[in-house]
Amino acid sequence: MGAKVLMTMDEYLHTAFDDADRDYVDGEVIERNMGELPHALLQAVLIRTLDPKLGLQVLPEIRIQVATTRFRVADVAVWRPGPISRRIPTVPPFLVVEILSAEDRLVRLQPKIQDYLAYGVDFVWVIDPDERRAMTYSPDKPGGMLVDELRTENPNIAISLTELFSILN
């Protein structure tokens, strides 16, 4: 990660970054690590797996305004059927998936997870392809829980980690 980059929210919203999009937190632009092959494979599988179920809207790498001066970019965000906005979603997704890259550390992701939960996201899945583990977070489990299966309710979704990680073999 480079030096701190500060800009106004208007500048952020009108900036197209050369590589990966960035989070924006209270005036600071925060770089995100670029995903490597395991990250991209898991992201693709999750998009294909979640897309056809129940008419869900599944979007990768999308800016979500989680607070007045905070935008987070989700690896995958999932909404129930219905309108979410025209440019930047104004409806919280019910599920956000973050896939760790080799350089990512869970401790650095904690503020982002808490932003999602405070915004109204029902479920946050954090997937670590290197360790082949996953944690789920929800308003009733804001500290997270190590799981063997990724689950949501309303709609009910269940994805086995064994099955998910089999694409990495």
Side-chain angles (χ1 to χ4, degrees):
M1 300 283 166
K4 272 190 180 184
V5 175
L6 302 176
M7 65 174 56
T8 68
M9 191 164 64
D10 192 54
E11 288 172 317
Y12 168 76
L13 291 172
H14 291 93
T15 299
F17 299 97
D18 290 335
D19 46 13
D21 200 356
R22 291 159 170 74
D23 290 344
Y24 179 85
V25 178
D26 305 327
E28 181 181 353
V29 176
I30 301 172
E31 281 187 59
R32 297 169 51 243
N33 288 322
M34 294 293 292
E36 295 173 345
L37 187 58
H39 181 282
L41 287 170
L42 290 173
Q43 191 174 26
V45 164
L46 286 167
I47 290 167
R48 283 194 310 269
T49 301
L50 295 167
D51 191 37
K53 293 185 180 212
L54 309 167
L56 300 174
Q57 297 179 72
V58 183
L59 301 172
E61 307 293 328
I62 185 166
R63 288 180 178 178
I64 301 168
Q65 186 171 8
V66 297
T68 305
T69 59
R70 291 182 178 218
F71 292 79
R72 297 298 192 164
V73 179
D75 287 331
V76 178
V78 185
W79 283 266
R80 294 177 181 99
I84 59 174
S85 189
R86 290 183 49 90
R87 291 184 54 80
I88 294 177
T90 55
V91 173
F94 87 92
L95 168 64
V96 168
V97 182
E98 292 292 341
I99 303 165
L100 299 180
S101 298
E103 299 81 24
D104 287 330
R105 298 294 169 260
L106 188 56
V107 70
R108 291 196 64 223
L109 198 58
Q110 290 301 320
K112 190 172 188 175
I113 294 165
Q114 298 312 310
D115 277 351
Y116 288 138
L117 294 175
Y119 178 54
V121 173
D122 296 328
F123 301 93
V124 179
W125 296 347
V126 177
I127 301 171
D128 184 338
D130 290 339
E131 296 293 324
R132 300 205 178 190
R133 292 184 173 179
M135 303 249 333
T136 62
Y137 299 80
S138 62
D140 62 329
K141 298 244 190 273
M145 180 173 70
L146 196 60
V147 296
D148 294 323
E149 185 175 59
L150 298 166
R151 302 183 69 76
T152 69
E153 298 170 5
N154 187 26
N156 293 325
I157 297 170
I159 300 172
S160 156
L161 289 186
T162 303
E163 184 179 315
L164 180 65
F165 290 134
S166 70
I167 65 154
L168 301 179
N169 293 332

